[in-house]
Amino acid sequence: MTTTDTLPTTALGAGGIEVGTQGLGCMGMSEFYGESDLTESRATLDRALELGVTLFDTADVYGSGHNEEFLRDFVRANRDRVVLATKFGIVRKADDPTFRGIDNSPEYIRAAVDASLRRLGIDTIDLYYMHRRDVRVPIEDTVGVLAELVAAGKVRALGLSEVTGAELRAAHAVHPIAAVQSEWSLFSRDVENTAVPAAAELGVAFVPYSPLGRGFLTGSFKAASELADANDFRRAMPRFTGDNAARNAELLTPVRAIAEERGVTPAQVALAWVHSRAAAHDLPVIPIPGTRSRKRLADNVAAAALVLSADELATLEPIAAQVAGNRYADMSFTSAGRE
């Protein structure tokens, strides 16, 4: 499947910002998946715009600010076409690369947004997400501070990541939420318990990250040991290690069968399934598969036009319930950890 037709558009929230129905996750251009070719990464950004991708996703934590800085020239050169999403809330320590904390305090939010604006070289962030929920801070208070940023013109629209349905409803009552970003794929469907129904009820768009199961659904490997770069963080993720990896690789058999029958790749089948959730749940769904390659980008965008049949969807339905291992070693950082 090699079509390069531009993407259709949908809205981030009721009457919200229009974006292409597939975005681009930029995290891997700076960190986590091993060394990146920045020249190819920049070319991938440009090609994404040509193919109709307009939502570009980053965060202050990606590369400890490097990803925002890397996107700066691209965003500024294409400001009238790029919808820029970034996030706050995950904090790191310079002397401990493994440390991850969460901070939703008003002081932190106000400092974080100004720092992101400086790194990006822009006046307004299009979509500003709470990256993770700090349970020490009432979500109403967090959104109250974010609403102040909207009033001040620093942010256009608000998003939340990894929230439960109840948390989304509480936040939306304070200020309209345009989008919820959480992991959602053939391997990860826990968001369908409460978050997706709440988003559909409130008219909030859903932005699935890791729609390819952090690459597992591409069918390109069977074990973390196959990841060449020692710094690839998937080496420590439960679904990629030990017996879990071997068991999960076997779950791709029906994905491969559909791909072979359709003349597409397993990754395209997996992405087409995520796109099918829009009709299944009656809400805008804008997956943001991450890539640093123009070739993979084109394949990913082409998957948005692949419509799976009812029989194919039924064949794929049982996969998530059979996945071995959680999506993170510590699920307390996720909506599922607070259900």
Side-chain angles (χ1 to χ4, degrees), residues 143-218:
V143 178
V145 176
L146 293 174
E148 295 174 6
L149 302 183
V150 174
K154 295 182 178 182
V155 173
R156 292 178 65 192
L158 303 183
L160 304 172
S161 181
E162 291 289 358
V163 292
T164 67
E167 289 167 345
L168 174 57
R169 288 189 178 90
H172 196 76
V174 176
H175 186 280
I177 301 300
V180 169
Q181 180 180 136
S182 290
E183 188 167 348
W184 197 7
S185 72
L186 278 170
F187 269 16
S188 300
R189 297 181 60 178
D190 51 80
V191 293
E192 295 174 24
N193 294 332
T194 69
V196 169
E201 171 193 323
L202 297 171
V204 175
F206 217 93
V207 180
Y209 73 79
S210 298
L212 294 174
R214 301 195 183 278
F216 210 121
L217 289 162
T218 66

Coordinates of all heavy atoms in Angstrom, one line a residue, residues 143-218:
V143 N -6.1 22.1 36.1 CA -6.8 22.6 34.9 C -7.1 24.1 35.1 O -7.1 24.9 34.1 CB -8.1 21.8 34.6 CG1 -8.8 22.4 33.4 CG2 -7.7 20.4 34.2
G144 N -7.3 24.5 36.3 CA -7.5 25.9 36.6 C -6.3 26.8 36.2 O -6.4 27.8 35.6
V145 N -5.1 26.2 36.5 CA -3.9 27.0 36.1 C -3.7 26.9 34.6 O -3.4 27.9 34.0 CB -2.7 26.3 36.8 CG1 -1.4 27.0 36.3 CG2 -2.7 26.4 38.3
L146 N -4.1 25.8 34.0 CA -4.0 25.7 32.5 C -4.9 26.7 31.8 O -4.6 27.3 30.8 CB -4.2 24.3 32.0 CG -3.2 23.2 32.5 CD1 -3.7 21.8 32.1 CD2 -1.9 23.5 31.8
A147 N -6.1 26.8 32.4 CA -7.1 27.8 31.9 C -6.5 29.2 31.9 O -6.8 30.0 31.0 CB -8.4 27.7 32.7
E148 N -5.7 29.5 32.9 CA -5.1 30.8 33.0 C -4.1 31.0 31.8 O -4.0 32.1 31.3 CB -4.3 31.0 34.3 CG -5.2 31.0 35.6 CD -4.4 31.0 36.8 OE1 -3.2 31.1 36.7 OE2 -5.0 30.9 37.9
L149 N -3.4 29.9 31.4 CA -2.5 30.0 30.3 C -3.2 30.3 29.0 O -2.7 31.0 28.1 CB -1.7 28.7 30.2 CG -0.9 28.3 31.4 CD1 -0.1 27.1 31.2 CD2 0.0 29.5 31.9
V150 N -4.4 29.7 28.9 CA -5.3 29.9 27.7 C -5.7 31.4 27.7 O -5.5 32.1 26.6 CB -6.5 29.0 27.7 CG1 -7.4 29.4 26.5 CG2 -6.1 27.6 27.6
A151 N -6.1 31.9 28.8 CA -6.5 33.3 28.9 C -5.4 34.3 28.6 O -5.6 35.4 28.0 CB -7.1 33.6 30.3
A152 N -4.2 33.9 28.9 CA -3.0 34.7 28.7 C -2.5 34.6 27.3 O -1.5 35.3 26.9 CB -1.9 34.3 29.7
G153 N -3.0 33.7 26.5 CA -2.6 33.5 25.1 C -1.4 32.7 24.9 O -0.8 32.6 23.8
K154 N -0.9 32.0 26.0 CA 0.2 31.1 25.9 C -0.1 29.8 25.3 O 0.8 29.1 24.8 CB 0.9 31.0 27.2 CG 1.5 32.3 27.8 CD 2.2 32.0 29.1 CE 2.8 33.3 29.6 NZ 3.5 33.1 30.9
V155 N -1.4 29.4 25.4 CA -1.9 28.1 25.0 C -3.2 28.2 24.3 O -4.0 29.0 24.7 CB -2.0 27.1 26.2 CG1 -2.7 25.8 25.8 CG2 -0.7 26.9 26.9
R156 N -3.4 27.5 23.2 CA -4.7 27.5 22.5 C -5.7 26.5 23.0 O -6.9 26.8 23.2 CB -4.5 27.3 21.0 CG -3.7 28.4 20.3 CD -3.5 28.0 18.8 NE -4.8 28.0 18.1 CZ -4.9 27.4 16.9 NH1 -3.9 26.9 16.2 NH2 -6.1 27.4 16.3
A157 N -5.3 25.3 23.3 CA -6.2 24.2 23.7 C -5.5 23.3 24.7 O -4.2 23.2 24.7 CB -6.6 23.4 22.4
L158 N -6.3 22.7 25.5 CA -5.8 21.9 26.6 C -5.9 20.4 26.3 O -7.0 19.9 25.8 CB -6.5 22.2 27.9 CG -6.4 23.7 28.3 CD1 -7.1 23.8 29.7 CD2 -5.0 24.2 28.4
G159 N -5.0 19.6 26.8 CA -5.0 18.1 26.7 C -4.6 17.5 28.0 O -3.9 18.1 28.8
L160 N -5.0 16.2 28.1 CA -4.6 15.4 29.3 C -4.1 14.1 28.7 O -4.5 13.6 27.7 CB -5.8 15.2 30.2 CG -6.6 16.4 30.7 CD1 -7.8 15.9 31.4 CD2 -5.7 17.2 31.6
S161 N -3.1 13.5 29.5 CA -2.6 12.2 29.1 C -2.7 11.2 30.2 O -2.5 11.6 31.4 CB -1.1 12.4 28.7 OG -0.6 11.2 28.3
E162 N -3.1 10.0 29.8 CA -3.3 8.9 30.8 C -4.2 9.3 32.0 O -3.8 9.2 33.1 CB -1.9 8.5 31.3 CG -1.0 7.8 30.3 CD -1.5 6.4 29.9 OE1 -2.5 5.9 30.5 OE2 -0.9 5.8 29.0
V163 N -5.4 9.7 31.7 CA -6.4 10.0 32.7 C -7.6 9.0 32.6 O -7.9 8.5 31.5 CB -6.9 11.5 32.6 CG1 -5.8 12.5 32.9 CG2 -7.5 11.8 31.2
T164 N -8.2 8.8 33.7 CA -9.4 8.0 33.8 C -10.6 8.8 33.3 O -10.5 10.0 33.1 CB -9.7 7.5 35.2 OG1 -10.0 8.7 36.0 CG2 -8.5 6.8 35.8
G165 N -11.7 8.1 33.1 CA -12.9 8.8 32.7 C -13.4 9.8 33.7 O -13.8 10.9 33.4
A166 N -13.3 9.4 35.0 CA -13.7 10.3 36.1 C -12.8 11.6 36.1 O -13.3 12.7 36.3 CB -13.7 9.6 37.4
E167 N -11.5 11.4 35.9 CA -10.6 12.5 35.9 C -10.9 13.5 34.7 O -10.8 14.7 34.9 CB -9.2 12.0 35.9 CG -8.7 11.4 37.2 CD -7.5 10.6 37.1 OE1 -7.0 10.3 36.0 OE2 -6.9 10.2 38.2
L168 N -11.2 12.9 33.6 CA -11.5 13.7 32.4 C -12.7 14.5 32.6 O -12.8 15.7 32.3 CB -11.7 12.8 31.2 CG -12.1 13.5 29.9 CD1 -11.2 14.6 29.5 CD2 -12.3 12.5 28.8
R169 N -13.8 13.9 33.2 CA -15.0 14.6 33.4 C -14.8 15.8 34.4 O -15.3 16.9 34.3 CB -16.1 13.7 34.0 CG -16.6 12.7 32.9 CD -17.8 12.0 33.5 NE -18.4 11.1 32.4 CZ -18.0 9.8 32.2 NH1 -17.1 9.3 33.0 NH2 -18.6 9.1 31.3
A170 N -14.0 15.5 35.5 CA -13.7 16.6 36.5 C -12.9 17.7 35.8 O -13.2 18.9 36.1 CB -12.9 16.0 37.7
A171 N -12.0 17.4 35.0 CA -11.2 18.4 34.3 C -12.0 19.2 33.3 O -11.9 20.5 33.3 CB -10.0 17.8 33.6
H172 N -12.8 18.5 32.6 CA -13.6 19.2 31.5 C -14.7 20.2 32.1 O -15.1 21.1 31.5 CB -14.3 18.1 30.7 CG -14.9 18.6 29.4 ND1 -14.1 18.9 28.3 CD2 -16.2 18.9 29.0 CE1 -14.9 19.3 27.3 NE2 -16.1 19.3 27.7
A173 N -15.1 19.9 33.4 CA -16.0 20.8 34.1 C -15.4 22.1 34.4 O -16.1 23.1 34.6 CB -16.5 20.1 35.3
V174 N -14.0 22.2 34.5 CA -13.3 23.4 34.8 C -13.0 24.2 33.5 O -13.2 25.4 33.5 CB -12.0 23.1 35.6 CG1 -11.2 24.4 35.8 CG2 -12.3 22.4 36.9
H175 N -12.6 23.5 32.5 CA -12.3 24.1 31.2 C -12.4 23.0 30.1 O -11.9 21.9 30.4 CB -10.8 24.7 31.2 CG -10.5 25.5 30.0 ND1 -10.2 24.9 28.8 CD2 -10.5 26.9 29.8 CE1 -9.9 25.8 27.9 NE2 -10.2 27.0 28.4
P176 N -12.9 23.4 29.0 CA -13.0 22.3 27.9 C -11.6 21.7 27.6 O -10.6 22.4 27.5 CB -13.5 23.1 26.7 CG -14.2 24.3 27.3 CD -13.5 24.6 28.5
I177 N -11.7 20.4 27.5 CA -10.5 19.6 27.2 C -10.6 19.2 25.7 O -11.6 18.7 25.3 CB -10.3 18.3 28.1 CG1 -10.2 18.7 29.5 CG2 -9.1 17.5 27.6 CD1 -9.1 19.6 29.9
A178 N -9.6 19.5 24.9 CA -9.7 19.2 23.5 C -9.3 17.8 23.2 O -9.9 17.2 22.2 CB -8.7 20.2 22.7
A179 N -8.3 17.2 23.9 CA -7.8 15.9 23.5 C -7.3 15.1 24.7 O -6.8 15.7 25.7 CB -6.7 16.0 22.5
V180 N -7.4 13.8 24.7 CA -6.8 12.9 25.6 C -5.8 12.1 24.9 O -6.1 11.5 23.8 CB -7.9 12.0 26.3 CG1 -7.2 10.9 27.1 CG2 -8.7 12.8 27.3
Q181 N -4.6 12.0 25.4 CA -3.6 11.2 24.8 C -3.2 10.0 25.7 O -2.9 10.2 26.9 CB -2.3 12.0 24.5 CG -1.2 11.2 23.9 CD 0.0 12.0 23.6 OE1 1.2 11.5 23.9 NE2 -0.1 13.2 23.1
S182 N -3.4 8.8 25.2 CA -3.0 7.6 26.0 C -2.6 6.5 25.1 O -2.9 6.6 23.9 CB -4.2 7.1 26.9 OG -4.5 8.0 27.9
E183 N -1.9 5.5 25.6 CA -1.6 4.4 24.7 C -2.9 3.6 24.3 O -3.7 3.3 25.2 CB -0.6 3.4 25.5 CG 0.0 2.3 24.6 CD 1.2 1.6 25.2 OE1 1.7 2.1 26.3 OE2 1.6 0.6 24.7
W184 N -2.9 3.3 23.1 CA -4.1 2.6 22.5 C -3.7 1.8 21.3 O -3.2 2.5 20.3 CB -5.2 3.6 22.2 CG -6.6 3.0 22.1 CD1 -7.0 1.7 22.3 CD2 -7.8 3.6 21.7 NE1 -8.3 1.5 22.1 CE2 -8.9 2.7 21.7 CE3 -8.1 4.9 21.3 CZ2 -10.2 3.0 21.3 CZ3 -9.4 5.3 20.9 CH2 -10.4 4.3 21.0
S185 N -3.8 0.5 21.3 CA -3.4 -0.3 20.1 C -4.0 -1.6 20.2 O -4.7 -1.9 21.2 CB -1.9 -0.4 20.1 OG -1.4 -1.3 21.2
L186 N -3.7 -2.5 19.3 CA -4.2 -3.9 19.3 C -3.6 -4.6 20.6 O -4.2 -5.6 21.0 CB -3.7 -4.6 18.1 CG -4.5 -4.5 16.8 CD1 -3.7 -5.1 15.7 CD2 -5.9 -5.2 17.0
F187 N -2.5 -4.1 21.2 CA -2.0 -4.7 22.4 C -2.4 -4.0 23.7 O -2.3 -4.6 24.7 CB -0.4 -4.6 22.3 CG 0.2 -5.8 21.7 CD1 -0.5 -6.7 20.9 CD2 1.6 -6.0 21.9 CE1 0.2 -7.8 20.4 CE2 2.2 -7.1 21.3 CZ 1.5 -8.0 20.5
S188 N -3.0 -2.8 23.6 CA -3.3 -2.0 24.8 C -4.7 -1.4 24.6 O -4.8 -0.3 23.9 CB -2.3 -0.9 25.0 OG -1.0 -1.4 25.2
R189 N -5.7 -1.9 25.3 CA -7.0 -1.4 25.1 C -7.7 -1.0 26.5 O -8.9 -0.8 26.6 CB -7.9 -2.5 24.4 CG -7.4 -2.7 23.0 CD -8.2 -3.7 22.3 NE -9.6 -3.3 22.1 CZ -10.5 -4.0 21.5 NH1 -10.2 -5.2 20.9 NH2 -11.8 -3.6 21.4
D190 N -6.9 -0.9 27.5 CA -7.4 -0.5 28.8 C -8.2 0.8 28.8 O -9.1 1.0 29.6 CB -6.4 -0.6 29.9 CG -5.1 0.2 29.6 OD1 -5.2 1.5 29.8 OD2 -4.1 -0.3 29.1
V191 N -7.8 1.7 27.9 CA -8.5 3.0 27.9 C -9.9 2.9 27.5 O -10.7 3.9 27.7 CB -7.8 4.0 26.9 CG1 -6.4 4.3 27.4 CG2 -7.7 3.4 25.5
E192 N -10.3 1.8 26.9 CA -11.7 1.6 26.5 C -12.6 1.4 27.7 O -13.8 1.5 27.6 CB -11.8 0.5 25.6 CG -11.1 0.7 24.2 CD -11.1 -0.5 23.3 OE1 -12.0 -1.4 23.5 OE2 -10.3 -0.6 22.5
N193 N -12.1 1.2 28.9 CA -12.9 1.0 30.1 C -13.7 2.2 30.5 O -14.9 2.2 30.6 CB -12.0 0.5 31.3 CG -11.4 -0.9 31.0 OD1 -12.0 -1.7 30.3 ND2 -10.2 -1.1 31.6
T194 N -13.0 3.3 30.7 CA -13.6 4.5 31.1 C -13.2 5.8 30.3 O -14.0 6.7 30.1 CB -13.4 4.8 32.6 OG1 -12.1 5.2 32.9 CG2 -13.8 3.6 33.5
A195 N -12.0 5.9 29.9 CA -11.5 7.1 29.3 C -12.1 7.3 27.9 O -12.5 8.5 27.6 CB -9.9 7.0 29.2
V196 N -12.2 6.3 27.1 CA -12.7 6.5 25.8 C -14.2 6.8 25.8 O -14.7 7.7 25.2 CB -12.5 5.2 24.9 CG1 -13.3 5.3 23.6 CG2 -11.0 5.1 24.6
P197 N -15.0 6.1 26.6 CA -16.4 6.5 26.7 C -16.7 7.9 27.2 O -17.5 8.6 26.7 CB -17.0 5.5 27.7 CG -16.1 4.3 27.6 CD -14.7 4.8 27.4
A198 N -15.8 8.3 28.2 CA -16.0 9.7 28.7 C -15.6 10.7 27.6 O -16.3 11.7 27.4 CB -15.1 9.9 29.9
A199 N -14.6 10.4 26.8 CA -14.2 11.3 25.8 C -15.3 11.4 24.7 O -15.6 12.5 24.2 CB -12.9 10.9 25.1
A200 N -15.9 10.3 24.3 CA -16.9 10.3 23.4 C -18.1 11.1 23.9 O -18.7 11.9 23.1 CB -17.3 8.9 23.0
E201 N -18.4 10.9 25.1 CA -19.6 11.7 25.7 C -19.4 13.2 25.7 O -20.3 13.9 25.5 CB -19.8 11.1 27.2 CG -20.8 11.9 28.0 CD -20.7 11.6 29.5 OE1 -20.4 10.4 29.8 OE2 -20.8 12.5 30.3
L202 N -18.1 13.6 26.0 CA -17.8 15.0 26.1 C -17.4 15.7 24.8 O -17.2 16.9 24.8 CB -16.7 15.2 27.2 CG -17.0 14.7 28.6 CD1 -15.8 14.7 29.5 CD2 -18.1 15.6 29.2
G203 N -17.2 14.9 23.8 CA -16.8 15.5 22.5 C -15.3 15.8 22.5 O -14.9 16.7 21.8
V204 N -14.5 15.0 23.2 CA -13.1 15.1 23.3 C -12.4 14.2 22.3 O -12.8 13.0 22.2 CB -12.6 14.9 24.7 CG1 -11.1 14.9 24.8 CG2 -13.2 15.8 25.7
A205 N -11.4 14.7 21.6 CA -10.7 13.8 20.6 C -9.7 12.9 21.4 O -9.3 13.2 22.5 CB -9.9 14.7 19.7
F206 N -9.4 11.8 20.8 CA -8.5 10.8 21.4 C -7.3 10.7 20.5 O -7.4 10.5 19.3 CB -9.2 9.4 21.6 CG -8.7 8.8 22.9 CD1 -9.5 8.9 24.1 CD2 -7.6 8.0 23.0 CE1 -9.1 8.3 25.3 CE2 -7.1 7.5 24.1 CZ -7.9 7.6 25.3
V207 N -6.1 10.8 21.2 CA -4.8 10.8 20.5 C -4.0 9.6 21.0 O -3.3 9.7 22.0 CB -4.1 12.1 20.7 CG1 -2.7 12.1 19.9 CG2 -4.9 13.3 20.2
P208 N -4.1 8.4 20.3 CA -3.4 7.3 20.7 C -1.9 7.4 20.5 O -1.5 7.6 19.4 CB -4.0 6.1 19.9 CG -5.3 6.6 19.4 CD -5.1 8.1 19.2
Y209 N -1.1 7.2 21.6 CA 0.3 7.1 21.4 C 0.7 5.7 21.4 O -0.1 4.8 21.8 CB 1.1 7.9 22.4 CG 1.2 7.4 23.8 CD1 2.0 6.3 24.2 CD2 0.4 8.0 24.8 CE1 2.1 5.9 25.5 CE2 0.4 7.5 26.1 CZ 1.3 6.4 26.4 OH 1.3 6.0 27.7
S210 N 1.9 5.3 20.8 CA 2.3 4.0 20.7 C 1.2 3.1 20.0 O 0.9 2.0 20.5 CB 2.7 3.4 22.0 OG 3.8 4.1 22.6
P211 N 0.6 3.6 18.9 CA -0.4 2.7 18.2 C 0.2 1.5 17.6 O -0.6 0.6 17.2 CB -1.0 3.7 17.2 CG 0.2 4.6 16.9 CD 0.9 4.8 18.2
L212 N 1.5 1.4 17.5 CA 2.1 0.2 17.0 C 2.8 -0.6 18.1 O 3.7 -1.4 17.9 CB 3.2 0.6 15.9 CG 2.6 1.2 14.6 CD1 3.6 1.6 13.7 CD2 1.6 0.2 13.9
G213 N 2.3 -0.4 19.3 CA 2.9 -1.2 20.5 C 4.3 -1.0 20.6 O 5.1 -1.9 20.9
R214 N 4.8 0.3 20.4 CA 6.2 0.6 20.5 C 7.1 -0.2 19.5 O 8.2 -0.5 19.8 CB 6.8 0.5 21.9 CG 6.1 1.4 22.9 CD 6.8 1.5 24.2 NE 6.0 2.3 25.2 CZ 6.0 3.6 25.2 NH1 6.7 4.3 24.3 NH2 5.3 4.3 26.1
G215 N 6.5 -0.5 18.4 CA 7.1 -1.2 17.3 C 6.9 -2.7 17.3 O 7.2 -3.4 16.3
F216 N 6.3 -3.3 18.4 CA 6.1 -4.7 18.4 C 5.1 -5.1 17.3 O 5.3 -6.2 16.7 CB 5.6 -5.1 19.8 CG 6.0 -6.5 20.2 CD1 6.7 -6.7 21.4 CD2 5.7 -7.6 19.4 CE1 7.1 -8.0 21.8 CE2 6.0 -8.9 19.8 CZ 6.8 -9.1 21.0
L217 N 4.1 -4.3 17.1 CA 3.1 -4.7 16.1 C 3.6 -4.6 14.6 O 2.8 -4.9 13.7 CB 1.9 -3.8 16.3 CG 1.1 -4.2 17.6 CD1 0.1 -3.1 18.0 CD2 0.3 -5.5 17.4
T218 N 4.8 -4.1 14.4 CA 5.4 -4.2 13.1 C 5.8 -5.6 12.7 O 6.0 -5.9 11.5 CB 6.6 -3.2 13.0 OG1 7.7 -3.7 13.8 CG2 6.2 -1.8 13.4

